[in-house]
Amino acid sequence: MLIKDRYKAFVEYFSSHQPEAETELLYENPYQLLVAVILSAQCTDKRINQVTPKLFERYPNPESLSEATPEEVFNYIRSVSYPNNKSKHLVGMAQKLVAEFNSVVPSDIDDLQKMPGVGRKTANVIASVIFNAPAMAVDTHVFRVSNRIGLTRNAKTPLAVEKQLVNYLPKDKIHIAHHWLILHGRYICLARSPKCQSCPLTEICKYYQQSQTETALQKVEKAQLKKANELKKKRLADKTAKALKKLKAI
């Protein structure tokens, strides 16, 4: 299958079955999403959604968060991964947001990355989710699923995956394709035990096709080995029978 055909089938399926896909992080405004995405690094959305309500109640805007200390913020996020670093990043982000952006979350990816705790992935999430920009954030799910399906070729880094996806996806679908890939990886194309039997993309998936080929080859090899063992046993039985026949004739 040509890569363009694979992309076409991918977009057509999800456009029909998940046209409203969106982030599972809970937020009410750009500031809250920025906080949630910073917290979500190497942590589950479920855990972040448990933490943010009290955090947002205490720090409802960039100004209040900018006046906090990392130690104070830590008490609200202690159950997430790397709370020490993230508490520092959140306070630093808020201070930068207030001082340089007038408390308004910028839409520009380069501007977003000027804030502590905001790398390229986080910046792309904000740009795509809040501003519907054609930006592709590549997390572990996007990286894995893209490579498995065959949407990317020899993409060894998140940036390489991002560039290939942006190059082939229709520009108006890039922001939502991010969610398609994440949700597919989160619930079907699991890292250790992908649910291929319930996956709707097997016809275009390189991973599934390769695994089916490998399974078929393994079955053939197993059948050949079984046949060889049976033939070996038969020859041994025939040899034994001839030996016994000679003994009886003596």
Side-chain angles (χ1 to χ4, degrees), residues 1-57:
M1 175 180 281
L2 296 175
I3 193 167
K4 289 184 178 181
D5 294 331
R6 183 172 279 113
Y7 270 91
K8 181 180 179 182
F10 171 81
V11 171
E12 287 179 348
Y13 174 80
F14 282 108
S15 293
S16 298
H17 294 81
Q18 281 187 297
E20 304 298 330
E22 57 186 11
T23 179
E24 293 185 315
L25 290 170
L26 301 178
Y27 69 98
E28 295 181 356
N29 53 58
Y31 157 72
Q32 288 189 357
L33 180 62
L34 181 54
V35 170
V37 177
I38 290 174
L39 288 173
S40 70
Q42 297 182 327
C43 196
T44 65
D45 288 359
K46 181 179 180 181
R47 169 59 60 185
I48 302 308
N49 290 337
Q50 293 172 342
V51 167
T52 50
K54 289 185 178 180
L55 180 68
F56 293 150
E57 182 179 357

Side-chain angles (χ1 to χ4, degrees), residues 107-119:
S107 60
D108 183 77
I109 291 176
D110 291 333
D111 284 341
L112 285 163
Q113 292 183 82
K114 292 177 181 178
M115 292 181 282
V118 181

Side-chain angles (χ1 to χ4, degrees), residues 19 49 52 54 62 64 78 82 89 102 146 160 183 187 207 218:
N49 290 337
T52 50
K54 289 185 178 180
S64 57
R78 63 172 64 245
Y82 308 108
H89 288 159
N102 197 30
S146 298
L183 296 174
Y187 297 109
Y207 174 85
Q218 289 172 357

Side-chain angles (χ1 to χ4, degrees), residues 19 25 103 129 138 143 159 168 171 174 192 196 198 202:
L25 290 170
S103 299
V129 174
V138 179
F143 188 90
L159 182 58
Y168 282 101
K171 189 174 181 179
I174 293 174
R192 294 184 179 180
C196 294
S198 58
T202 52

Side-chain angles (χ1 to χ4, degrees), residues 31 35-36 39-40 43 46-60 64-65 67-88 90-91:
Y31 157 72
V35 170
L39 288 173
S40 70
C43 196
K46 181 179 180 181
R47 169 59 60 185
I48 302 308
N49 290 337
Q50 293 172 342
V51 167
T52 50
K54 289 185 178 180
L55 180 68
F56 293 150
E57 182 179 357
R58 176 63 183 84
Y59 307 108
S64 57
L65 184 57
E67 296 171 355
T69 66
E71 292 73 22
E72 291 171 338
V73 174
F74 176 88
N75 292 323
Y76 291 90
I77 66 170
R78 63 172 64 245
S79 64
V80 309
S81 60
Y82 308 108
N84 283 310
N85 286 336
K86 290 179 179 179
S87 60
K88 295 175 184 176
L90 289 179
V91 173

Side-chain angles (χ1 to χ4, degrees), residues 99-168:
E100 296 189 18
F101 299 101
N102 197 30
S103 299
V104 177
V105 175
S107 60
D108 183 77
I109 291 176
D110 291 333
D111 284 341
L112 285 163
Q113 292 183 82
K114 292 177 181 178
M115 292 181 282
V118 181
R120 187 175 183 85
K121 183 185 75 173
T122 297
N124 281 339
V125 170
I126 300 302
S128 63
V129 174
I130 298 297
F131 304 103
N132 289 336
M136 174 58 66
V138 179
D139 66 357
T140 55
H141 295 303
V142 174
F143 188 90
R144 179 179 70 256
V145 175
S146 298
N147 278 292
R148 277 186 178 171
I149 293 176
L151 297 178
T152 56
R153 294 176 177 174
N154 301 316
K156 305 298 184 182
T157 66
L159 182 58
V161 169
E162 177 188 335
K163 288 182 176 179
Q164 290 189 34
L165 291 173
V166 169
N167 183 52
Y168 282 101

